[in-house]
Amino acid sequence: MRQKIVAGNWKMNKNYEDGLTLAKDVIEGLTVDHCTVVLGTPFIHLKAVSEIVKNVENVYSSAQNCSSEPEGAYTGEVSAEMIKSSGADYIIIGHSEWRAYFNEADEVLAKKIDLTLQNNLIPILCCGETLEERETEQHFTTVKRQINNALFHLSEDQLKNIVIAYEPVWAIGTGKTATPEQAQEMHQHIRSLISDRFGDGIADDLSILYGGSCKPSNATELFSQKDLDGGLIGGASLNASDFIEIIANLKDY
Ligand code: PEP
């Protein structure tokens, strides 16, 4: 069964206290029996937020990145195993900010995906084209390359534990959202890539989230598309009532 998911990505926002307040506010306002909710926090919040969500049904915590190495002399890095030990269940992998600012290559992402799965965590793999790639009609090719390089080495069983987030770079934090048609078209493309490599059953069960300036006012239309299974929410996840409203919008689809 395909799972509906709304994941927040706090990025590098909220000090420790404000982050815990946000997590508590989200939980207090939520009535979630229709989808999974994931809180993607900075590392310093992760253990405390994991404790907060531990006994709340359908709510989980997530890191926003992990090291591509399992352990060792990598000053400042955090391993997938450490993330698991904090109580988290998900890791966001390959966010466009990491690809752009830290030159994260597809091959590195494949290693991060492997470590995430080895530690029984669920990767939310981000993919998406730049504005230039869309304007030159390279968007399908770009996303195909990203999916292929990060995921196609996996087994069918491993792929069952993957979530994909389509996030057009030109829509992230810009206030510019993909139209529901543009999002649907790309989600269908992603599902067909997975189907060609892993079969229809696995592709049908795969949750594909949309991310990019998703907010309460546009979530309903986006979520109504048949291949959109929820959202990865940046800016709007920093405000508990906006985030809760976005989650509520997924209810009818
Ligand atoms: C994101 O950073 O994953 C994101 C989707 O950001 P925003 O919602 O702010 O565009």
Side-chain angles (χ1 to χ4, degrees):
M1 238 308 253
R2 203 185 295 175
Q3 220 184 343
K4 301 276 183 190
I5 303 171
V6 179
N9 175 16
W10 296 359
K11 312 196 190 200
M12 195 174 72
N13 292 295
K14 302 285 177 191
N15 65 28
Y16 184 69
E17 270 181 26
D18 291 347
L20 299 205
T21 303
L22 174 59
K24 286 177 193 155
D25 287 349
V26 168
I27 282 166
E28 270 168 31
L30 271 181
T31 43
V32 274
D33 50 4
H34 61 288
C35 72
T36 295
V37 173
V38 178
L39 303 179
T41 82
F43 286 129
I44 64 145
H45 302 80
L46 205 51
K47 184 164 172 51
V49 170
S50 300
E51 285 295 319
I52 291 171
V53 303
K54 195 160 81 181
N55 296 316
V56 186
E57 222 179 321
N58 301 328
V59 185
Y60 302 91
S61 61
S62 174
Q64 302 172 9
N65 178 47
C66 69
S67 174
S68 59
E69 299 300 328
E71 65 177 343
Y74 300 98
T75 303
E77 282 280 58
V78 176
S79 71
E81 188 192 354
M82 291 170 182
I83 292 167
K84 180 69 182 179
S85 73
S86 75
D89 287 289
Y90 289 78
I91 308 183
I92 298 169
I93 302 278
H95 191 280
S96 65
E97 287 151 15
W98 270 86
R99 292 180 190 262
Y101 307 147
F102 306 111
N103 294 322
E104 199 169 52
D106 289 338
E107 298 66 38
V108 172
L109 297 178
K111 286 170 76 177
K112 292 186 177 189
I113 294 275
D114 290 345
L115 287 166
T116 304
L117 292 170
Q118 278 163 26
N119 284 284
N120 295 318
L121 291 153
I122 300 172
I124 301 178
L125 174 72
C126 302
C127 59
E129 79 285 357
T130 61
L131 183 59
E132 192 191 342
E133 285 165 336
R134 179 153 285 263
E135 285 175 348
T136 53
E137 304 204 345
Q138 296 296 306
H139 45 297
F140 291 124
T141 316
T142 296
V143 169
K144 182 177 180 179
R145 191 202 70 235
Q146 292 170 335
I147 299 282
N148 195 326
N149 292 348
L151 299 181
F152 276 19
H153 65 290
L154 298 177
S155 69
E156 289 178 15
D157 270 353
Q158 286 176 312
L159 207 94
K160 289 177 187 161
N161 295 313
I162 299 274
V163 174
I164 295 179
Y166 168 56
E167 299 205 301
V169 179
W170 47 271
I172 296 180
T174 58
K176 222 177 178 184
T177 318
T179 64
E181 294 73 25
Q182 285 172 323
Q184 166 57 26
E185 189 180 44
M186 185 58 86
H187 282 227
Q188 194 172 29
H189 174 64
I190 293 169
R191 210 177 292 288
S192 75
L193 293 171
I194 298 296
S195 169
D196 290 348
R197 167 69 182 82
F198 297 97
D200 281 352
I202 287 177
D204 280 349
D205 286 349
L206 175 73
S207 297
I208 309 177
L209 316 184
Y210 168 79
S213 298
C214 186
K215 39 188 183 273
S217 58
N218 59 27
T220 313
E221 244 198 311
L222 285 161
F223 293 162
S224 69
Q225 302 301 307
K226 82 174 171 52
D227 284 298
L228 268 75
D229 308 308
L232 180 55
I233 317 298
S237 73
L238 297 172
N239 177 298
S241 59
D242 284 352
F243 190 54
I244 289 166
E245 206 178 325
I246 290 171
I247 295 163
N249 278 325
L250 192 56
K251 192 158 192 132
D252 299 327
Y253 301 101

PDB file of all heavy atoms in Angstrom, residues 166-178:
ATOM      1  N   TYR A 166      10.342  14.724  -5.101  1.00  0.00           N
ATOM      2  CA  TYR A 166      10.653  15.542  -6.281  1.00  0.00           C
ATOM      3  C   TYR A 166      10.604  17.004  -5.862  1.00  0.00           C
ATOM      4  O   TYR A 166       9.552  17.503  -5.439  1.00  0.00           O
ATOM      5  CB  TYR A 166       9.648  15.272  -7.412  1.00  0.00           C
ATOM      6  CG  TYR A 166       9.773  16.313  -8.518  1.00  0.00           C
ATOM      7  CD1 TYR A 166      11.004  16.517  -9.155  1.00  0.00           C
ATOM      8  CD2 TYR A 166       8.691  17.090  -8.912  1.00  0.00           C
ATOM      9  CE1 TYR A 166      11.145  17.488 -10.145  1.00  0.00           C
ATOM     10  CE2 TYR A 166       8.815  18.054  -9.895  1.00  0.00           C
ATOM     11  CZ  TYR A 166      10.048  18.246 -10.513  1.00  0.00           C
ATOM     12  OH  TYR A 166      10.183  19.216 -11.483  1.00  0.00           O
ATOM     13  N   GLU A 167      11.756  17.670  -5.968  1.00  0.00           N
ATOM     14  CA  GLU A 167      11.835  19.064  -5.565  1.00  0.00           C
ATOM     15  C   GLU A 167      12.523  19.872  -6.668  1.00  0.00           C
ATOM     16  O   GLU A 167      13.776  19.924  -6.711  1.00  0.00           O
ATOM     17  CB  GLU A 167      12.656  19.191  -4.278  1.00  0.00           C
ATOM     18  CG  GLU A 167      12.073  18.438  -3.110  1.00  0.00           C
ATOM     19  CD  GLU A 167      12.521  19.056  -1.795  1.00  0.00           C
ATOM     20  OE1 GLU A 167      13.733  19.130  -1.539  1.00  0.00           O
ATOM     21  OE2 GLU A 167      11.647  19.480  -1.043  1.00  0.00           O
ATOM     22  N   PRO A 168      11.754  20.481  -7.563  1.00  0.00           N
ATOM     23  CA  PRO A 168      12.398  21.314  -8.575  1.00  0.00           C
ATOM     24  C   PRO A 168      13.163  22.441  -7.884  1.00  0.00           C
ATOM     25  O   PRO A 168      12.600  23.143  -7.034  1.00  0.00           O
ATOM     26  CB  PRO A 168      11.225  21.852  -9.402  1.00  0.00           C
ATOM     27  CG  PRO A 168       9.984  21.571  -8.622  1.00  0.00           C
ATOM     28  CD  PRO A 168      10.291  20.476  -7.657  1.00  0.00           C
ATOM     29  N   VAL A 169      14.432  22.589  -8.231  1.00  0.00           N
ATOM     30  CA  VAL A 169      15.291  23.539  -7.509  1.00  0.00           C
ATOM     31  C   VAL A 169      14.734  24.959  -7.596  1.00  0.00           C
ATOM     32  O   VAL A 169      14.787  25.725  -6.638  1.00  0.00           O
ATOM     33  CB  VAL A 169      16.737  23.474  -8.078  1.00  0.00           C
ATOM     34  CG1 VAL A 169      17.656  24.469  -7.374  1.00  0.00           C
ATOM     35  CG2 VAL A 169      17.299  22.062  -7.920  1.00  0.00           C
ATOM     36  N   TRP A 170      14.141  25.281  -8.735  1.00  0.00           N
ATOM     37  CA  TRP A 170      13.611  26.627  -8.958  1.00  0.00           C
ATOM     38  C   TRP A 170      12.373  26.911  -8.093  1.00  0.00           C
ATOM     39  O   TRP A 170      11.927  28.064  -8.012  1.00  0.00           O
ATOM     40  CB  TRP A 170      13.285  26.836 -10.445  1.00  0.00           C
ATOM     41  CG  TRP A 170      12.510  25.703 -11.069  1.00  0.00           C
ATOM     42  CD1 TRP A 170      13.039  24.595 -11.665  1.00  0.00           C
ATOM     43  CD2 TRP A 170      11.088  25.561 -11.145  1.00  0.00           C
ATOM     44  NE1 TRP A 170      12.040  23.764 -12.096  1.00  0.00           N
ATOM     45  CE2 TRP A 170      10.822  24.332 -11.798  1.00  0.00           C
ATOM     46  CE3 TRP A 170      10.003  26.336 -10.727  1.00  0.00           C
ATOM     47  CZ2 TRP A 170       9.538  23.879 -12.048  1.00  0.00           C
ATOM     48  CZ3 TRP A 170       8.717  25.880 -10.977  1.00  0.00           C
ATOM     49  CH2 TRP A 170       8.497  24.664 -11.622  1.00  0.00           C
ATOM     50  N   ALA A 171      11.852  25.898  -7.443  1.00  0.00           N
ATOM     51  CA  ALA A 171      10.661  26.108  -6.608  1.00  0.00           C
ATOM     52  C   ALA A 171      10.994  26.107  -5.116  1.00  0.00           C
ATOM     53  O   ALA A 171      10.143  26.430  -4.293  1.00  0.00           O
ATOM     54  CB  ALA A 171       9.633  25.020  -6.906  1.00  0.00           C
ATOM     55  N   ILE A 172      12.241  25.768  -4.769  1.00  0.00           N
ATOM     56  CA  ILE A 172      12.580  25.641  -3.344  1.00  0.00           C
ATOM     57  C   ILE A 172      12.890  27.003  -2.741  1.00  0.00           C
ATOM     58  O   ILE A 172      13.821  27.687  -3.166  1.00  0.00           O
ATOM     59  CB  ILE A 172      13.779  24.693  -3.150  1.00  0.00           C
ATOM     60  CG1 ILE A 172      13.381  23.284  -3.601  1.00  0.00           C
ATOM     61  CG2 ILE A 172      14.211  24.669  -1.689  1.00  0.00           C
ATOM     62  CD1 ILE A 172      14.466  22.268  -3.469  1.00  0.00           C
ATOM     63  N   GLY A 173      12.061  27.389  -1.784  1.00  0.00           N
ATOM     64  CA  GLY A 173      12.277  28.641  -1.061  1.00  0.00           C
ATOM     65  C   GLY A 173      12.090  29.886  -1.910  1.00  0.00           C
ATOM     66  O   GLY A 173      12.480  30.980  -1.506  1.00  0.00           O
ATOM     67  N   THR A 174      11.502  29.737  -3.083  1.00  0.00           N
ATOM     68  CA  THR A 174      11.367  30.883  -3.998  1.00  0.00           C
ATOM     69  C   THR A 174       9.953  31.455  -4.013  1.00  0.00           C
ATOM     70  O   THR A 174       9.721  32.523  -4.571  1.00  0.00           O
ATOM     71  CB  THR A 174      11.699  30.450  -5.443  1.00  0.00           C
ATOM     72  OG1 THR A 174      10.797  29.387  -5.800  1.00  0.00           O
ATOM     73  CG2 THR A 174      13.130  29.976  -5.572  1.00  0.00           C
ATOM     74  N   GLY A 175       9.002  30.710  -3.461  1.00  0.00           N
ATOM     75  CA  GLY A 175       7.609  31.125  -3.539  1.00  0.00           C
ATOM     76  C   GLY A 175       6.974  30.714  -4.865  1.00  0.00           C
ATOM     77  O   GLY A 175       5.781  30.885  -5.094  1.00  0.00           O
ATOM     78  N   LYS A 176       7.778  30.157  -5.748  1.00  0.00           N
ATOM     79  CA  LYS A 176       7.314  29.715  -7.070  1.00  0.00           C
ATOM     80  C   LYS A 176       7.052  28.206  -7.001  1.00  0.00           C
ATOM     81  O   LYS A 176       7.991  27.437  -6.753  1.00  0.00           O
ATOM     82  CB  LYS A 176       8.470  29.940  -8.048  1.00  0.00           C
ATOM     83  CG  LYS A 176       8.114  30.496  -9.384  1.00  0.00           C
ATOM     84  CD  LYS A 176       9.423  30.696 -10.115  1.00  0.00           C
ATOM     85  CE  LYS A 176       9.194  31.221 -11.498  1.00  0.00           C
ATOM     86  NZ  LYS A 176      10.463  31.311 -12.217  1.00  0.00           N
ATOM     87  N   THR A 177       5.830  27.793  -7.180  1.00  0.00           N
ATOM     88  CA  THR A 177       5.533  26.360  -7.052  1.00  0.00           C
ATOM     89  C   THR A 177       5.380  25.743  -8.437  1.00  0.00           C
ATOM     90  O   THR A 177       4.901  26.410  -9.357  1.00  0.00           O
ATOM     91  CB  THR A 177       4.187  26.163  -6.321  1.00  0.00           C
ATOM     92  OG1 THR A 177       4.153  27.085  -5.243  1.00  0.00           O
ATOM     93  CG2 THR A 177       4.029  24.782  -5.787  1.00  0.00           C
ATOM     94  N   ALA A 178       5.728  24.479  -8.569  1.00  0.00           N
ATOM     95  CA  ALA A 178       5.398  23.776  -9.816  1.00  0.00           C
ATOM     96  C   ALA A 178       3.878  23.733  -9.927  1.00  0.00           C
ATOM     97  O   ALA A 178       3.187  23.649  -8.907  1.00  0.00           O
ATOM     98  CB  ALA A 178       5.963  22.362  -9.769  1.00  0.00           C
TER      99      ALA A 178
END
